[in-house]
Amino acid sequence: QWKKNDLPISKTAFFGHWTGVPRPTGVDRGNITIAAGPHGWAWLIPLHRDGSRASVGVVCHKEWVRSRAEGESLDAFYERTLRGVPSVWARLEGATFSAPVNTIADISYRSERYYGPGFCLVGDAGSFLD
């Protein structure tokens, strides 16, 4: 009831799972990759200890989303957007995408209250700015 989605930030995330994504070795093995691209930013999150699956997504500016060509499939648009982030796309060479692409829009929010008797909201519990 305290969550407010009225921030003036209009972003859309496109994401899905990939199998066969190579992972770094050693202490970096489980690290999340975050990379900037021309239309927003991308993530690559390892999901299993053996490295067999990863969540890979891009968060795009609304203008880029509107540029999607008429008739272009969501899968093709997602791939084209990911190709714009070379450091992430290079990690997907030889990996397999598990369709369908998922989307979520306007995910930024803030809380009306951050603390009170017996509670304190921290991190994403209090707000999420994307």
PDB file of all heavy atoms in Angstrom, residues 10-11 18 23 38-39 51 56 59-60 65-66 73 77 80 87-89 91 99-100 111 115 123:
ATOM      1  N   SER A  10      10.694   5.905 -17.639  1.00  0.00           N
ATOM      2  CA  SER A  10       9.980   4.948 -18.477  1.00  0.00           C
ATOM      3  C   SER A  10      10.968   4.011 -19.144  1.00  0.00           C
ATOM      4  O   SER A  10      11.593   4.362 -20.145  1.00  0.00           O
ATOM      5  CB  SER A  10       9.158   5.679 -19.538  1.00  0.00           C
ATOM      6  OG  SER A  10       8.214   6.510 -18.915  1.00  0.00           O
ATOM      7  N   LYS A  11      11.126   2.845 -18.590  1.00  0.00           N
ATOM      8  CA  LYS A  11      12.039   1.833 -19.121  1.00  0.00           C
ATOM      9  C   LYS A  11      11.265   0.535 -19.330  1.00  0.00           C
ATOM     10  O   LYS A  11      10.273   0.272 -18.664  1.00  0.00           O
ATOM     11  CB  LYS A  11      13.185   1.563 -18.148  1.00  0.00           C
ATOM     12  CG  LYS A  11      13.976   2.775 -17.738  1.00  0.00           C
ATOM     13  CD  LYS A  11      14.987   3.130 -18.779  1.00  0.00           C
ATOM     14  CE  LYS A  11      15.956   4.130 -18.199  1.00  0.00           C
ATOM     15  NZ  LYS A  11      16.263   5.206 -19.033  1.00  0.00           N
ATOM     16  N   TRP A  18      19.231 -18.438 -20.855  1.00  0.00           N
ATOM     17  CA  TRP A  18      20.133 -19.019 -21.838  1.00  0.00           C
ATOM     18  C   TRP A  18      20.830 -20.201 -21.189  1.00  0.00           C
ATOM     19  O   TRP A  18      21.102 -20.184 -19.990  1.00  0.00           O
ATOM     20  CB  TRP A  18      21.177 -17.998 -22.274  1.00  0.00           C
ATOM     21  CG  TRP A  18      20.623 -16.857 -23.066  1.00  0.00           C
ATOM     22  CD1 TRP A  18      19.832 -15.840 -22.611  1.00  0.00           C
ATOM     23  CD2 TRP A  18      20.822 -16.607 -24.456  1.00  0.00           C
ATOM     24  NE1 TRP A  18      19.532 -14.969 -23.630  1.00  0.00           N
ATOM     25  CE2 TRP A  18      20.135 -15.418 -24.772  1.00  0.00           C
ATOM     26  CE3 TRP A  18      21.536 -17.272 -25.458  1.00  0.00           C
ATOM     27  CZ2 TRP A  18      20.127 -14.883 -26.052  1.00  0.00           C
ATOM     28  CZ3 TRP A  18      21.522 -16.738 -26.728  1.00  0.00           C
ATOM     29  CH2 TRP A  18      20.823 -15.560 -27.028  1.00  0.00           C
ATOM     30  N   ARG A  23      31.234 -19.162 -18.023  1.00  0.00           N
ATOM     31  CA  ARG A  23      31.399 -18.341 -16.824  1.00  0.00           C
ATOM     32  C   ARG A  23      32.871 -18.094 -16.566  1.00  0.00           C
ATOM     33  O   ARG A  23      33.716 -18.906 -16.931  1.00  0.00           O
ATOM     34  CB  ARG A  23      30.808 -19.075 -15.623  1.00  0.00           C
ATOM     35  CG  ARG A  23      29.304 -19.221 -15.734  1.00  0.00           C
ATOM     36  CD  ARG A  23      28.767 -20.063 -14.635  1.00  0.00           C
ATOM     37  NE  ARG A  23      28.748 -19.327 -13.374  1.00  0.00           N
ATOM     38  CZ  ARG A  23      28.154 -19.764 -12.295  1.00  0.00           C
ATOM     39  NH1 ARG A  23      27.531 -20.923 -12.303  1.00  0.00           N
ATOM     40  NH2 ARG A  23      28.167 -19.067 -11.193  1.00  0.00           N
ATOM     41  N   PRO A  38      24.081   1.127 -25.998  1.00  0.00           N
ATOM     42  CA  PRO A  38      23.594   2.371 -26.599  1.00  0.00           C
ATOM     43  C   PRO A  38      22.128   2.674 -26.308  1.00  0.00           C
ATOM     44  O   PRO A  38      21.695   3.812 -26.448  1.00  0.00           O
ATOM     45  CB  PRO A  38      23.820   2.156 -28.094  1.00  0.00           C
ATOM     46  CG  PRO A  38      23.825   0.682 -28.269  1.00  0.00           C
ATOM     47  CD  PRO A  38      24.423   0.122 -27.009  1.00  0.00           C
ATOM     48  N   HIS A  39      21.377   1.664 -25.882  1.00  0.00           N
ATOM     49  CA  HIS A  39      19.936   1.852 -25.672  1.00  0.00           C
ATOM     50  C   HIS A  39      19.506   1.620 -24.234  1.00  0.00           C
ATOM     51  O   HIS A  39      18.309   1.530 -23.951  1.00  0.00           O
ATOM     52  CB  HIS A  39      19.155   0.931 -26.607  1.00  0.00           C
ATOM     53  CG  HIS A  39      19.625   1.037 -28.021  1.00  0.00           C
ATOM     54  ND1 HIS A  39      19.501   2.194 -28.754  1.00  0.00           N
ATOM     55  CD2 HIS A  39      20.267   0.156 -28.821  1.00  0.00           C
ATOM     56  CE1 HIS A  39      20.030   2.012 -29.949  1.00  0.00           C
ATOM     57  NE2 HIS A  39      20.502   0.793 -30.009  1.00  0.00           N
ATOM     58  N   GLY A  51      26.810 -23.548 -14.041  1.00  0.00           N
ATOM     59  CA  GLY A  51      26.880 -22.597 -15.144  1.00  0.00           C
ATOM     60  C   GLY A  51      26.008 -22.959 -16.322  1.00  0.00           C
ATOM     61  O   GLY A  51      26.166 -22.407 -17.396  1.00  0.00           O
ATOM     62  N   VAL A  56      19.502 -13.388 -18.806  1.00  0.00           N
ATOM     63  CA  VAL A  56      20.131 -12.329 -19.597  1.00  0.00           C
ATOM     64  C   VAL A  56      19.042 -11.355 -20.021  1.00  0.00           C
ATOM     65  O   VAL A  56      18.026 -11.761 -20.600  1.00  0.00           O
ATOM     66  CB  VAL A  56      20.853 -12.888 -20.843  1.00  0.00           C
ATOM     67  CG1 VAL A  56      21.511 -11.764 -21.631  1.00  0.00           C
ATOM     68  CG2 VAL A  56      21.868 -13.944 -20.443  1.00  0.00           C
ATOM     69  N   VAL A  59      17.612  -3.527 -20.305  1.00  0.00           N
ATOM     70  CA  VAL A  59      16.667  -2.500 -19.876  1.00  0.00           C
ATOM     71  C   VAL A  59      16.856  -1.335 -20.830  1.00  0.00           C
ATOM     72  O   VAL A  59      17.954  -0.798 -20.956  1.00  0.00           O
ATOM     73  CB  VAL A  59      16.926  -2.070 -18.417  1.00  0.00           C
ATOM     74  CG1 VAL A  59      15.971  -0.956 -18.013  1.00  0.00           C
ATOM     75  CG2 VAL A  59      16.790  -3.270 -17.483  1.00  0.00           C
ATOM     76  N   CYS A  60      15.777  -0.996 -21.543  1.00  0.00           N
ATOM     77  CA  CYS A  60      15.879  -0.045 -22.650  1.00  0.00           C
ATOM     78  C   CYS A  60      15.084   1.225 -22.401  1.00  0.00           C
ATOM     79  O   CYS A  60      14.037   1.208 -21.752  1.00  0.00           O
ATOM     80  CB  CYS A  60      15.317  -0.677 -23.924  1.00  0.00           C
ATOM     81  SG  CYS A  60      16.084  -2.225 -24.364  1.00  0.00           S
ATOM     82  N   VAL A  65      12.489   1.249 -27.580  1.00  0.00           N
ATOM     83  CA  VAL A  65      11.390   0.277 -27.678  1.00  0.00           C
ATOM     84  C   VAL A  65      10.440   0.692 -28.797  1.00  0.00           C
ATOM     85  O   VAL A  65       9.977  -0.146 -29.574  1.00  0.00           O
ATOM     86  CB  VAL A  65      10.650   0.152 -26.330  1.00  0.00           C
ATOM     87  CG1 VAL A  65       9.453  -0.773 -26.459  1.00  0.00           C
ATOM     88  CG2 VAL A  65      11.603  -0.341 -25.242  1.00  0.00           C
ATOM     89  N   ARG A  66      10.180   1.983 -28.914  1.00  0.00           N
ATOM     90  CA  ARG A  66       9.281   2.486 -29.970  1.00  0.00           C
ATOM     91  C   ARG A  66       9.874   2.305 -31.364  1.00  0.00           C
ATOM     92  O   ARG A  66       9.151   2.336 -32.358  1.00  0.00           O
ATOM     93  CB  ARG A  66       8.974   3.959 -29.740  1.00  0.00           C
ATOM     94  CG  ARG A  66       8.055   4.199 -28.575  1.00  0.00           C
ATOM     95  CD  ARG A  66       7.717   5.675 -28.477  1.00  0.00           C
ATOM     96  NE  ARG A  66       6.932   5.940 -27.290  1.00  0.00           N
ATOM     97  CZ  ARG A  66       7.143   6.941 -26.462  1.00  0.00           C
ATOM     98  NH1 ARG A  66       8.119   7.797 -26.677  1.00  0.00           N
ATOM     99  NH2 ARG A  66       6.387   7.110 -25.411  1.00  0.00           N
ATOM    100  N   SER A  73       9.735  -9.608 -34.711  1.00  0.00           N
ATOM    101  CA  SER A  73       9.334 -10.414 -33.554  1.00  0.00           C
ATOM    102  C   SER A  73      10.028  -9.894 -32.302  1.00  0.00           C
ATOM    103  O   SER A  73      11.096  -9.260 -32.369  1.00  0.00           O
ATOM    104  CB  SER A  73       9.677 -11.886 -33.766  1.00  0.00           C
ATOM    105  OG  SER A  73      11.076 -12.087 -33.648  1.00  0.00           O
ATOM    106  N   PHE A  77      13.909  -8.563 -31.821  1.00  0.00           N
ATOM    107  CA  PHE A  77      14.203  -7.260 -31.227  1.00  0.00           C
ATOM    108  C   PHE A  77      15.117  -7.423 -30.010  1.00  0.00           C
ATOM    109  O   PHE A  77      16.089  -6.674 -29.845  1.00  0.00           O
ATOM    110  CB  PHE A  77      12.900  -6.563 -30.828  1.00  0.00           C
ATOM    111  CG  PHE A  77      13.105  -5.200 -30.236  1.00  0.00           C
ATOM    112  CD1 PHE A  77      13.462  -4.128 -31.035  1.00  0.00           C
ATOM    113  CD2 PHE A  77      12.927  -4.990 -28.875  1.00  0.00           C
ATOM    114  CE1 PHE A  77      13.655  -2.866 -30.487  1.00  0.00           C
ATOM    115  CE2 PHE A  77      13.116  -3.739 -28.321  1.00  0.00           C
ATOM    116  CZ  PHE A  77      13.475  -2.665 -29.132  1.00  0.00           C
ATOM    117  N   ARG A  80      18.595  -8.257 -31.308  1.00  0.00           N
ATOM    118  CA  ARG A  80      19.215  -7.073 -31.914  1.00  0.00           C
ATOM    119  C   ARG A  80      19.684  -6.109 -30.827  1.00  0.00           C
ATOM    120  O   ARG A  80      20.769  -5.524 -30.917  1.00  0.00           O
ATOM    121  CB  ARG A  80      18.213  -6.390 -32.849  1.00  0.00           C
ATOM    122  CG  ARG A  80      18.762  -5.173 -33.575  1.00  0.00           C
ATOM    123  CD  ARG A  80      17.897  -4.779 -34.760  1.00  0.00           C
ATOM    124  NE  ARG A  80      16.541  -4.435 -34.428  1.00  0.00           N
ATOM    125  CZ  ARG A  80      16.107  -3.196 -34.217  1.00  0.00           C
ATOM    126  NH1 ARG A  80      16.953  -2.181 -34.288  1.00  0.00           N
ATOM    127  NH2 ARG A  80      14.838  -2.955 -33.959  1.00  0.00           N
ATOM    128  N   SER A  87      29.985  -6.781 -24.878  1.00  0.00           N
ATOM    129  CA  SER A  87      30.566  -7.562 -23.778  1.00  0.00           C
ATOM    130  C   SER A  87      29.622  -8.650 -23.288  1.00  0.00           C
ATOM    131  O   SER A  87      30.067  -9.704 -22.831  1.00  0.00           O
ATOM    132  CB  SER A  87      30.966  -6.649 -22.616  1.00  0.00           C
ATOM    133  OG  SER A  87      29.835  -5.959 -22.115  1.00  0.00           O
ATOM    134  N   VAL A  88      28.330  -8.429 -23.407  1.00  0.00           N
ATOM    135  CA  VAL A  88      27.350  -9.460 -23.033  1.00  0.00           C
ATOM    136  C   VAL A  88      27.129 -10.409 -24.208  1.00  0.00           C
ATOM    137  O   VAL A  88      27.117 -11.628 -24.042  1.00  0.00           O
ATOM    138  CB  VAL A  88      26.021  -8.822 -22.565  1.00  0.00           C
ATOM    139  CG1 VAL A  88      24.939  -9.877 -22.372  1.00  0.00           C
ATOM    140  CG2 VAL A  88      26.242  -8.049 -21.267  1.00  0.00           C
ATOM    141  N   TRP A  89      26.960  -9.858 -25.403  1.00  0.00           N
ATOM    142  CA  TRP A  89      26.693 -10.705 -26.575  1.00  0.00           C
ATOM    143  C   TRP A  89      27.814 -11.717 -26.798  1.00  0.00           C
ATOM    144  O   TRP A  89      27.560 -12.868 -27.146  1.00  0.00           O
ATOM    145  CB  TRP A  89      26.469  -9.851 -27.817  1.00  0.00           C
ATOM    146  CG  TRP A  89      26.070 -10.688 -28.983  1.00  0.00           C
ATOM    147  CD1 TRP A  89      26.818 -10.989 -30.079  1.00  0.00           C
ATOM    148  CD2 TRP A  89      24.832 -11.393 -29.147  1.00  0.00           C
ATOM    149  NE1 TRP A  89      26.131 -11.819 -30.919  1.00  0.00           N
ATOM    150  CE2 TRP A  89      24.904 -12.082 -30.372  1.00  0.00           C
ATOM    151  CE3 TRP A  89      23.674 -11.496 -28.382  1.00  0.00           C
ATOM    152  CZ2 TRP A  89      23.862 -12.869 -30.851  1.00  0.00           C
ATOM    153  CZ3 TRP A  89      22.636 -12.278 -28.847  1.00  0.00           C
ATOM    154  CH2 TRP A  89      22.733 -12.954 -30.070  1.00  0.00           C
ATOM    155  N   ARG A  91      29.548 -13.254 -24.650  1.00  0.00           N
ATOM    156  CA  ARG A  91      29.385 -14.366 -23.707  1.00  0.00           C
ATOM    157  C   ARG A  91      28.303 -15.349 -24.164  1.00  0.00           C
ATOM    158  O   ARG A  91      28.257 -16.481 -23.705  1.00  0.00           O
ATOM    159  CB  ARG A  91      29.006 -13.842 -22.312  1.00  0.00           C
ATOM    160  CG  ARG A  91      30.028 -12.949 -21.668  1.00  0.00           C
ATOM    161  CD  ARG A  91      30.905 -13.624 -20.642  1.00  0.00           C
ATOM    162  NE  ARG A  91      30.289 -14.450 -19.657  1.00  0.00           N
ATOM    163  CZ  ARG A  91      29.840 -14.054 -18.476  1.00  0.00           C
ATOM    164  NH1 ARG A  91      29.915 -12.780 -18.137  1.00  0.00           N
ATOM    165  NH2 ARG A  91      29.321 -14.919 -17.633  1.00  0.00           N
ATOM    166  N   ALA A  99      13.396 -19.590 -25.348  1.00  0.00           N
ATOM    167  CA  ALA A  99      12.292 -18.660 -25.582  1.00  0.00           C
ATOM    168  C   ALA A  99      11.109 -19.030 -24.693  1.00  0.00           C
ATOM    169  O   ALA A  99      11.032 -20.155 -24.230  1.00  0.00           O
ATOM    170  CB  ALA A  99      11.905 -18.691 -27.054  1.00  0.00           C
ATOM    171  N   PRO A 100      10.200 -18.178 -24.444  1.00  0.00           N
ATOM    172  CA  PRO A 100       9.977 -16.871 -25.052  1.00  0.00           C
ATOM    173  C   PRO A 100      10.665 -15.758 -24.275  1.00  0.00           C
ATOM    174  O   PRO A 100      11.046 -15.917 -23.122  1.00  0.00           O
ATOM    175  CB  PRO A 100       8.463 -16.703 -24.962  1.00  0.00           C
ATOM    176  CG  PRO A 100       8.100 -17.372 -23.677  1.00  0.00           C
ATOM    177  CD  PRO A 100       9.046 -18.555 -23.580  1.00  0.00           C
ATOM    178  N   SER A 111       8.849   4.200  -2.030  1.00  0.00           N
ATOM    179  CA  SER A 111       7.921   3.950  -0.936  1.00  0.00           C
ATOM    180  C   SER A 111       7.482   5.277  -0.335  1.00  0.00           C
ATOM    181  O   SER A 111       8.237   6.239  -0.279  1.00  0.00           O
ATOM    182  CB  SER A 111       8.584   3.098   0.146  1.00  0.00           C
ATOM    183  OG  SER A 111       7.674   2.864   1.192  1.00  0.00           O
ATOM    184  N   TYR A 115      10.499   4.083   7.133  1.00  0.00           N
ATOM    185  CA  TYR A 115      10.728   3.614   8.497  1.00  0.00           C
ATOM    186  C   TYR A 115       9.501   3.927   9.355  1.00  0.00           C
ATOM    187  O   TYR A 115       8.658   4.749   8.994  1.00  0.00           O
ATOM    188  CB  TYR A 115      11.972   4.259   9.113  1.00  0.00           C
ATOM    189  CG  TYR A 115      11.854   5.760   9.262  1.00  0.00           C
ATOM    190  CD1 TYR A 115      11.368   6.323  10.443  1.00  0.00           C
ATOM    191  CD2 TYR A 115      12.213   6.602   8.225  1.00  0.00           C
ATOM    192  CE1 TYR A 115      11.237   7.688  10.574  1.00  0.00           C
ATOM    193  CE2 TYR A 115      12.090   7.967   8.351  1.00  0.00           C
ATOM    194  CZ  TYR A 115      11.599   8.511   9.523  1.00  0.00           C
ATOM    195  OH  TYR A 115      11.468   9.863   9.650  1.00  0.00           O
ATOM    196  N   GLY A 123      17.318  -0.984   0.744  1.00  0.00           N
ATOM    197  CA  GLY A 123      17.520  -1.578  -0.583  1.00  0.00           C
ATOM    198  C   GLY A 123      16.253  -1.540  -1.413  1.00  0.00           C
ATOM    199  O   GLY A 123      15.467  -0.588  -1.355  1.00  0.00           O
TER     200      GLY A 123
END
